[in-house]
Amino acid sequence: MATHVRHPIWLPAVKPAGARTFASLYATESFARATVTSVIPIQAYEILHNEQEVSVLYTVVSLLGLSVTLFMPMLIKHFARRWVYSAGAVLLAVGSLFFVTHSLAGQFLGMLCRVMGASALSITLNLYIMDHIRKTDLIQAESLRMAWSMIAWTTGPTLGIFLYSRFGIYAAHGAVAIFALALLMLFWFYRLSDNRMIAAGKTRAVNPFANIGRFIAQPRLRLAWLIAFGRSCYWTTFFVYGPLFMVITGQGELASGLLVSAGNALLFVAIYWGRAGKKFGARRVITLAFAGMSVMLFIAGAIGTAAPLVTAGFLLAGAFFTIGVDAVGSTTFMRAVRTYERPQMAAVYRTYLDFSELTPPLVYSVVLSFFGLGSVFATLGILTAVCGVVTWLYLPKRL
């Protein structure tokens, strides 16, 4: 009977979720986060007037964000994925309200909202991807997702710096709120939770510490975490210390935004890295990418402040190789995780991002006590070299 129809007739017209669905969501989310990527460290430096104290601030925020990430499966159980994803988008917008106060407390709360929002969005989006994309198509889907985000990560940092320097703090962070609202609307338009062929978004609550134990007990998950941690440490360093490096060496705020945008402009090569991964295997591609990152970082560290623009050039070259790990690396987790424990293991896996925002500032704050700013890049080069060696030795050849 007509009275039994529960949905407007236009709803079934939405196409089933696929690689382009998640690429468009990630691209919109990237605009919301990329716009103030270069603004936040500069704003923190303006408030604290010391790069070492900026590192401490990032460390404290990352520690708190880590706690939220570990308890994410419980939030998903009680509120379902779609509400956790929506809350993530809202938190990005709320963070903007704190940032515009231009105070230490506002900076801290804004950064915390940003970290919590990114955590919620990342974990839930990965769960949706694993539900909808076949394992054999993951490399292609992930490389497409990275490539689509290129426009956001290329134009966003420069746009944010331009708005911040030309029109003020309200313009820069107001743009973030607009993009976050657009993300929320797009997500609900796709109605991912309405697909009845997919298991319900809710999951059994498990002690977060027990989840950590289960994760650590599986060698392939440990390796997937290390790969993600290594490449994310590069981006943390690039996004935070790249702009600081340009400002401190006298190149200016606009140059800092251009550096970050130029690095993100390289995201289009994710498509080619993905094809290479499909042809030659993830093990070879990831190892090559880490090796390239290490070489570029050691050279950048050796040059340091002696020739800032040359150092920036090698950081860009390092970004080219990092995108190779972006395009292929996450598939190592998606292929290894067991279906019945995806939410729990995805939450533990996501801690790579929290640790990559926590560990580098903590380590760099010590290193900077003894050496110049270039030492930051050399220190990171050691980590990426270790990641490359471990990947080559332990990642299965068939991947």
Side-chain angles (χ1 to χ4, degrees):
M1 294 176 62
T3 56
H4 290 166
V5 176
R6 298 177 179 225
H7 302 289
I9 198 166
W10 64 270
L11 288 177
V14 179
K15 294 181 180 180
R20 286 185 172 84
T21 303
F22 303 113
S24 62
L25 284 171
Y26 186 68
T28 308
E29 175 198 337
S30 295
F31 267 113
R33 293 193 293 119
T35 304
V36 289
T37 295
S38 298
V39 172
I40 291 174
I42 292 174
Q43 191 173 329
Y45 185 73
E46 289 177 350
I47 294 172
L48 296 170
H49 306 290
N50 184 287
E51 60 267 29
Q52 201 168 4
E53 291 184 7
V54 172
S55 294
V56 173
L57 176 62
Y58 271 87
T59 299
V60 173
V61 170
S62 297
L63 275 173
L64 294 173
L66 175 61
S67 302
V68 175
T69 297
L70 290 175
F71 282 90
M72 197 61 67
M74 291 186 176
L75 294 177
I76 292 174
K77 170 188 164 44
H78 290 292
F79 301 104
R81 286 184 204 168
R82 61 185 180 276
W83 296 115
V84 175
Y85 188 95
S86 300
V90 171
L91 279 170
L92 294 182
V94 172
S96 298
L97 297 177
F98 289 116
F99 278 123
V100 297
T101 64
H102 202 64
S103 62
L104 181 57
Q107 187 76 12
F108 170 76
L109 292 172
M111 292 172 66
L112 185 59
C113 285
R114 182 177 165 87
V115 168
M116 293 191 299
S119 175
L121 292 169
S122 175
I123 291 174
T124 50
L125 186 65
N126 277 334
L127 291 175
Y128 283 126
I129 289 173
M130 288 186 284
D131 277 347
H132 290 81
I133 304 296
R134 295 180 301 178
K135 288 187 176 182
T136 54
D137 296 330
L138 283 174
I139 288 181
Q140 183 178 359
E142 285 298 282
S143 59
L144 181 67
R145 184 160 69 104
M146 292 298 109
W148 275 39
S149 67
M150 177 195 69
I151 298 176
W153 289 107
T154 300
T155 61
T158 302
L159 173 64
I161 288 292
F162 173 76
L163 292 174
Y164 184 65
S165 59
R166 185 71 179 270
F167 299 103
I169 194 171
Y170 288 95
H173 292 288
V176 173
I178 293 173
F179 286 125
L181 177 61
L183 173 64
L184 191 62
M185 294 173 63
L186 184 63
F187 171 73
W188 282 96
F189 170 76
Y190 285 140
R191 297 184 337 278
L192 294 176
S193 60
D194 288 348
N195 190 334
R196 302 304 181 187
M197 299 300 292
I198 304 300
K202 294 185 178 181
T203 184
R204 179 172 58 92
V206 176
N207 187 309
F209 299 103
N211 293 340
I212 296 174
R214 283 285 304 138
F215 191 97
I216 294 175
Q218 301 178 60
R220 284 181 61 185
L221 293 184
R222 295 200 306 264
L223 178 57
W225 189 94
L226 178 65
I227 291 171
F229 174 72
R231 56 99 169 170
S232 190
C233 281
Y234 187 94
W235 288 124
T236 296
T237 304
F238 188 80
F239 289 149
V240 176
Y241 293 89
L244 282 178
F245 178 81
M246 299 303 282
V247 171
I248 292 171
T249 55
Q251 307 306 307
E253 293 181 353
L254 183 58
S256 69
L258 289 173
L259 172 64
V260 174
S261 291
N264 291 321
L266 296 171
L267 280 169
F268 77 91
V269 302
I271 292 290
Y272 302 101
W273 279 111
R275 291 175 183 173
K278 195 170 184 178
K279 182 176 181 180
F280 301 108
R283 177 172 173 259
R284 291 180 178 178
V285 169
I286 295 173
T287 302
L288 171 65
F290 273 125
M293 291 163 63
S294 298
V295 172
M296 297 302 109
L297 284 166
F298 284 131
I299 296 175
I303 297 173
T305 57
L309 294 181
V310 176
T311 299
F314 281 103
L315 291 178
L316 288 175
F320 169 82
F321 288 104
T322 309
I323 291 167
V325 187
D326 280 338
V328 181
S330 60
T331 61
T332 59
F333 167 76
M334 293 181 178
R335 289 181 174 181
V337 66
R338 294 181 172 90
T339 303
Y340 66 87
E341 57 183 5
R342 280 177 179 174
Q344 295 89 344
M345 296 304 100
V348 180
Y349 174 71
R350 172 55 176 67
T351 61
Y352 79 81
L353 190 53
D354 299 292
F355 275 101
S356 70
E357 294 176 347
L358 167 65
T359 309
L362 183 62
V363 173
Y364 297 157
S365 63
V366 176
V367 172
L368 288 169
S369 299
F370 301 95
F371 305 101
L373 197 53
S375 63
V376 165
F377 309 128
T379 302
L380 180 60
I382 297 173
L383 172 64
T384 55
V386 171
C387 291
V389 171
V390 173
T391 298
W392 180 256
L393 292 176
Y394 296 106
L395 189 65
K397 294 182 180 180
R398 65 180 180 274
L399 285 179

